[in-house]
Amino acid sequence: MLPDKHGHFNGFGGRFVPEVLISALDALEKEYRRAKKDRAFREKLNYYLKRYCGRPTSLYRAENLTQYLGGKLTIYLKREDLLHTGAHKINNTIGQALLALRMGKSRLIAETGAGQHGVATATVAAMFGLECDIFMGEEDIHRQELNVFRMKLLRARVIPVYSGSKTLKDAMNEAIRDWAANIRHTHYVIGSVAGPHPYPMIVRDFQAVIGQEARKQILEAQGRLPDYLVACVGGGSNAMGLFHCFFKDKRVEFIGVEAAGLGLHTSSYAATLNKGKTGVLHGSKSKVLQDKEGQIAIAHSIAAGLDYPGVGPEHSYYQKIHRASYAAVTDSQALEGLQLMSETEGIIPALETAHAIYYLKVLARKIKTKKTAILCLSGRGDKDIGIIREHLKL
Amino acid sequence: MNRIDQKFRELKAKKQKALIIYLTCGYPDLKTTEKLVLELESRGADIIELGVPFSDPLADGPVIQESSAYALKKGINLKRIFSLVRSLRKNTQIPICLMGYYNPVLSFGPVKFVQEALKSGVDGIIIPDLPPEEDRELVSLSKERGLKTIFFLSPTSSKERMRYIAQVSSGFIYYVSLTGVTGARQSLPSDLKENIRIIKSCTEKPVCVGFGISRPEHIAGVFKIADGAIVGSAVIKAIKDSIGKRDLVERVGRFVREIYVR
């Protein structure tokens, strides 16, 4: 199973980092492999996922949405929005915090875009009694102010990042710099299936619980596997979490939905797999949005959590081997998806998730016969209310 | 013989150490970078590191970050940097290393990059986010063609890693004095001496120390234990302080002279 021992996914992934980080990545990988085999660790992780986070999350048959979209595409929602802190991010931060404790680290740092990963990191830091600093682009601090306040309530420091595009990419640069300086007592909690090896593997494995539950639940509900798995992709952690354990179920089609921003024909989008070329960003080789000189492009999406010019290496691999396909949905289509879910099912989703929801509409129109899809409802929309209000006149 | 090897040989014969100066290419413009190289050579610099600006320089502190962003706005790219080196080679034989992040190299094409570097008169390459095992072809091609590939060691490197890097690095070994990013610091780290001693016990290759070196006493301290000192952010800061002044080049030259008197 990939990645190989060098952290490569068939040419993607790897470890493109300054030397000072190498030993910490080695130590993290070693500790993770040990923890994975340790029953006590797994029990502890499961305990917190169940008792603290609220797993398993429900797989909800969205009958109204199914009917609204014509009835041919039966839609199930994997309700990660019901988890503690309101998104799938905590699956990973619980796991990484437990690893940090095993390694004797006293401080957690993280980058955040939408603020969900920042909140999920600040939450576990508060619970486990760890110091916590969150790096967040100044632009995102502005558009996700509710989450900034939540992090502060949890006693995390939110460090504004003013460089570059002042969004997720720059927050990640700054987190890596901080980690390099404080590597001895700090664990860097990367929030997506991105970054240098072993992060893409670790985050995938911690998020894979989404798909493991969903697979069991759908078999119970309808006695067979779904035809489609649909999830939004920024860095790609909720999508990879849903897809991963269906990898060998060849008839289950994976569809990742990227942010087309103002449109793929413009220069304002964050659809890395659709528009990027192979490059190296934040420690791994994957598709990257970049100019012809290899300078990293500035991404755009209405959803801060998708506003990133890179993508996890395993998605680039899935794309390369045609295991998954990747669509793209614009800002305004995402808003439409958000309203659609709110009005038909009474669930206000995160703007990130809304991209995948809109795609269900496209998919429902495309299919000829009855099919079933599982959508990863990766997060709830409370954090986005300010931004949604700016765009929608109700 | 490669100019870097030649330089270290000469210095060794004179019982001297190498002063290596980093300049962000195109900061504040390419013409000035060219003049700075010549000026700094006359002020005692032994080797020049030319920084290739990158949008996301994650091993760099704020000073070099800012200079890179500035240079990028002026449209500096690898092609223009190679022509700068070509032009410099009409006037100087000082060893020149390109220091830049991997993505622009990957985008340019690693094979073409090595060819163009050699053709223009570059002696070595330093890619801070490329551990040697991630692009063995670049390393072996460079070796075959005579371009030095300088790799890093840091205070967190294991003994095994030290042996590996010492073996694969050529020209010299770049020892990062501290855990963190580039930028001036108050004093040299206390574990520097011991770490250099361990590295030196694995290799005959020159070991040069960079990151946080900004004062005469730092350079003097490094020269006691290693083969060279690398000064970057402090020089970039000196350039920044002189931008807009007609005598920028002389001012930066004087700064370098002040931090190191041979």
Side-chain angles (χ1 to χ4, degrees):
Chain A
M1 192 168 77
L2 293 177
D4 65 18
K5 67 178 169 151
H6 305 292
H8 292 153
F9 299 90
N10 193 346
F12 296 108
R15 229 177 229 188
F16 295 82
V17 292
E19 174 64 27
V20 66
L21 300 181
I22 296 284
S23 66
L25 294 169
D26 279 340
L28 176 61
E29 181 179 0
K30 221 162 133 189
E31 193 60 43
Y32 173 66
R33 292 196 190 280
R34 257 201 304 251
K36 221 165 85 166
K37 286 193 205 124
D38 178 357
R39 219 174 90 188
F41 177 84
R42 291 198 310 265
E43 278 170 4
K44 209 184 234 176
L45 177 63
N46 288 336
Y47 169 83
Y48 285 110
L49 288 177
K50 185 174 173 186
R51 301 289 172 191
Y52 185 72
C53 303
R55 300 215 73 92
T57 59
S58 94
L59 184 74
Y60 170 71
R61 185 177 161 131
E63 197 54 43
N64 298 337
L65 183 60
T66 297
Q67 291 313 320
Y68 183 88
L69 294 180
K72 258 191 302 188
L73 183 67
T74 302
I75 297 162
Y76 285 86
L77 307 176
K78 182 59 178 161
R79 297 289 308 274
E80 296 298 294
D81 61 317
L82 294 177
L83 276 180
H84 180 40
T85 71
H88 70 291
K89 292 291 186 188
I90 201 156
N91 298 327
N92 168 48
T93 60
I94 285 274
Q96 286 202 45
L98 289 173
L99 283 178
L101 289 172
R102 278 175 73 103
M103 292 186 290
K105 307 279 181 176
S106 58
R107 174 174 176 256
L108 300 182
I109 56 168
E111 82 294 339
T112 197
Q116 284 304 120
H117 175 58
V119 167
T121 305
T123 297
V124 297
M127 199 245 302
F128 289 119
L130 297 163
E131 202 189 325
C132 183
D133 288 323
I134 304 294
F135 294 88
M136 190 166 185
E138 203 245 342
E139 158 100 14
D140 292 338
I141 286 185
H142 173 69
R143 56 179 164 173
Q144 307 279 197
E145 55 184 336
L146 187 70
N147 270 344
V148 173
F149 191 72
R150 289 169 79 195
M151 288 184 266
K152 288 180 179 167
L153 267 178
L154 294 160
R155 290 201 62 190
R157 269 203 311 167
V158 179
I159 301 172
V161 176
Y162 298 100
S163 55
S165 56
K166 304 179 180 68
T167 60
L168 183 54
K169 157 180 93 80
D170 311 284
M172 197 150 172
N173 287 335
E174 217 44 60
I176 293 173
R177 290 181 186 121
D178 181 292
W179 196 36
N182 300 296
I183 200 136
R184 292 185 172 103
H185 73 286
T186 295
H187 174 66
Y188 177 20
V189 186
I190 292 187
S192 195
V193 286
H197 177 65
Y199 282 102
M201 170 181 78
I202 291 180
V203 178
R204 174 198 73 194
D205 291 355
F206 285 142
Q207 291 294 359
V209 65
I210 302 173
Q212 288 153 8
E213 285 176 9
R215 197 172 186 283
K216 220 160 80 189
Q217 288 165 321
I218 194 82
L219 287 173
E220 273 164 26
Q222 62 169 29
R224 61 175 196 90
L225 292 172
D227 301 293
Y228 303 102
L229 301 178
V230 182
C232 65
V233 175
S237 70
N238 89 85
M240 192 50 69
L242 177 65
F243 296 168
H244 186 60
C245 91
F246 292 88
F247 185 79
K248 288 184 178 153
D249 303 315
K250 296 291 179 209
R251 281 196 210 135
V252 180
E253 229 180 277
F254 300 169
I255 303 166
V257 185
E258 296 196 300
L262 303 181
L264 294 185
H265 59 285
T266 70
S267 57
S268 298
Y269 46 73
T272 308
L273 289 158
N274 279 281
K275 301 288 281 187
K277 63 171 186 168
T278 299
V280 165
L281 175 65
H282 295 146
S284 63
K285 193 184 271 186
S286 189
K287 286 285 191 75
V288 177
L289 293 177
Q290 53 186 311
D291 70 11
K292 60 181 195 314
E293 317 282 359
Q295 305 294 341
I296 308 305
I298 288 177
H300 164 82
S301 169
I302 191 173
L306 304 183
D307 198 349
Y308 182 61
V311 66
E314 199 165 6
H315 283 294
S316 291
Y317 163 60
Y318 278 14
Q319 184 187 43
K320 183 175 165 185
I321 61 167
H322 305 290
R323 181 63 189 90
S325 62
Y326 295 87
V329 158
T330 65
D331 289 352
S332 54
Q333 290 169 334
L335 283 165
E336 196 185 322
L338 184 137
Q339 282 182 290
L340 183 62
M341 185 61 78
S342 305
E343 289 167 14
T344 58
E345 295 293 348
I347 297 168
I348 302 173
L351 274 170
E352 289 76 14
T353 317
H355 286 74
I357 296 166
Y358 181 87
Y359 187 77
L360 291 175
K361 194 172 141 177
V362 178
L363 186 61
R365 233 182 283 140
K366 226 165 33 183
I367 56 172
K368 307 255 174 345
T369 55
K370 276 190 171 277
K371 302 277 183 191
T372 306
I374 297 177
L375 172 96
C376 186
L377 211 123
S378 52
R380 66 180 186 219
D382 310 37
K383 68 183 177 65
D384 295 318
I385 296 302
I387 244 180
I388 298 165
R389 199 156 56 181
E390 276 172 33
H391 285 86
L392 298 178
K393 300 257 177 297
L394 300 181
Chain B
M1 183 188 251
N2 182 288
R3 293 183 195 89
I4 299 172
D5 290 345
Q6 177 85 32
K7 174 62 79 176
F8 278 108
R9 182 177 290 193
E10 284 167 20
L11 288 170
K12 200 170 180 186
K14 291 191 279 184
K15 293 202 162 41
Q16 287 180 350
K17 303 300 173 74
L19 178 65
I20 303 174
I21 301 288
Y22 169 93
L23 294 171
T24 303
C25 231
Y27 182 67
D29 55 70
L30 280 178
K31 197 78 215 145
T32 307
T33 303
E34 185 168 358
K35 287 186 197 151
L36 278 169
V37 172
L38 300 173
E39 169 75 12
L40 298 185
E41 182 181 24
S42 78
R43 297 284 193 166
D46 296 301
I47 296 174
I48 296 289
E49 257 183 43
L50 281 182
V52 180
F54 181 50
S55 54
D56 295 75
L58 52 75
D60 285 302
V63 172
I64 293 181
Q65 282 177 44
E66 196 188 313
S67 69
S68 295
Y70 188 107
L72 280 179
K73 272 199 196 120
K74 298 220 152 183
I76 306 302
N77 58 25
L78 276 171
K79 204 171 142 212
R80 296 179 65 189
I81 292 169
F82 289 134
S83 72
L84 168 78
V85 178
R86 254 196 305 277
S87 164
L88 272 167
R89 280 290 171 240
K90 291 176 198 144
N91 299 307
T92 176
Q93 292 305 311
I94 191 167
I96 294 176
C97 299
L98 290 192
M99 172 149 181
Y101 291 82
Y102 188 52
N103 200 54
V105 174
L106 194 61
S107 171
F108 193 81
V111 174
K112 196 172 131 206
F113 174 75
V114 171
Q115 287 166 346
E116 291 295 312
L118 282 167
K119 227 165 51 189
S120 63
V122 169
D123 306 293
I125 53 174
I126 308 174
I127 306 178
D129 60 344
L130 181 72
E133 59 270 37
E134 288 293 358
D135 194 343
R136 291 177 206 273
E137 280 166 47
L138 178 68
V139 179
S140 59
L141 180 72
S142 300
K143 189 171 178 187
E144 198 184 295
R145 307 278 175 90
L147 183 67
K148 300 292 177 186
T149 48
I150 293 123
F151 289 105
F152 292 80
L153 281 171
S154 83
T156 58
S157 303
S158 65
K159 281 247 174 70
E160 192 191 349
R161 189 83 186 159
M162 284 181 183
R163 277 192 290 271
Y164 171 62
I165 295 291
Q167 182 233 320
V168 69
S169 190
S170 59
F172 62 92
I173 292 156
Y174 192 133
Y175 180 75
V176 175
S177 74
L178 43 83
T179 55
V181 293
T182 58
R185 307 290 200 281
Q186 293 289 327
S187 56
L188 294 177
S190 55
D191 60 358
L192 183 64
K193 195 173 167 186
E194 176 60 10
N195 286 334
I196 298 287
R197 190 191 64 74
I198 303 172
I199 298 168
K200 290 224 138 237
S201 72
C202 317
T203 180
E204 298 278 299
K205 290 173 187 169
V207 179
C208 300
V209 179
F211 283 43
I213 312 280
S214 60
R215 301 177 179 190
E217 64 268 28
H218 297 164
I219 296 175
V222 166
F223 279 7
K224 271 188 215 141
I225 50 178
D227 303 289
I230 303 158
V231 187
S233 298
V235 176
I236 301 302
K237 174 78 173 27
I239 297 174
K240 186 186 172 184
D241 293 343
S242 306
I243 283 182
K245 301 209 165 74
R246 269 217 319 234
D247 58 346
L248 180 146
V249 172
E250 294 86 85
R251 279 166 179 267
V252 177
R254 275 203 301 277
F255 171 79
V256 168
R257 174 52 96 205
E258 276 160 24
I259 57 168
Y260 178 56
V261 182
R262 197 177 290 275

